[in-house]
Amino acid sequence: MTSIIIVLCIALCAFSVMRYLAARTRLAEKKIDEAIARKLRASPILTEMQEIREMNAVMRNLLIDMVENEASASQLDIRADDKERAYKLRHQRRREIFGEAVFLLQHTEGAQAQNSQKTAS
């Protein structure tokens, strides 16, 4: 009977030690993850990724505007006078959207050129 109690105590101690070591491991992993996150927040790569996401969102919105502009004119069922006016408005809106897209592309090319000059020096 004594040997059973000793074996149970050893098993209980081993289980407790394993849980303690597992908790320490999780704590160390959490601290490592926090340190990596701190380093990434200051990373220029992360800021560049956020800028790219913003540019993608802007370009996506421009594309949506273009699709809505084309779809709005095709849905109109109106007279010839109004149809011509609607065509002119659609054409004008298309030019505005393309102008915005060109401006955005020129702006991003300038920013990329500045970034490449900074990294080269």
Side-chain angles (χ1 to χ4, degrees):
M1 186 67 160
T2 309
S3 61
I4 295 175
I5 293 174
I6 292 175
V7 169
L8 287 175
C9 287
I10 291 173
L12 184 62
C13 287
F15 182 72
S16 298
V17 168
M18 287 186 332
R19 284 188 56 146
Y20 171 74
L21 292 176
R24 277 187 46 193
T25 303
R26 284 193 305 267
L27 183 63
E29 288 174 353
K30 183 179 177 184
K31 286 184 179 181
I32 290 171
D33 289 341
E34 288 172 355
I36 291 171
R38 268 195 319 270
K39 293 290 184 181
L40 282 178
R41 271 187 246 132
S43 171
I45 295 172
L46 187 62
T47 56
E48 185 177 345
M49 282 180 51
Q50 288 176 332
E51 290 173 3
I52 290 172
R53 284 186 187 137
E54 289 175 12
M55 287 186 295
N56 283 343
V58 170
M59 291 302 285
R60 181 179 175 272
N61 289 339
L62 286 172
L63 288 173
I64 289 171
D65 286 346
M66 289 172 64
V67 170
E68 288 174 352
N69 186 39
E70 296 297 322
S72 66
S74 64
Q75 292 175 354
L76 296 175
D77 194 22
I78 49 179
R79 300 179 309 190
D81 296 340
D82 291 337
K83 199 172 197 178
E84 184 178 331
R85 188 172 59 84
Y87 175 75
K88 286 181 182 177
L89 288 174
R90 183 178 74 182
H91 188 67
Q92 179 184 1
R93 179 65 183 142
R94 185 184 302 153
R95 284 179 176 245
E96 290 173 2
I97 293 170
F98 283 137
E100 290 174 15
V102 167
F103 174 76
L104 179 68
L105 290 173
Q106 288 172 346
H107 179 70
T108 56
E109 286 176 2
Q112 288 175 351
Q114 288 176 353
N115 287 340
S116 65
Q117 288 176 355
K118 286 180 184 177
T119 57
S121 19

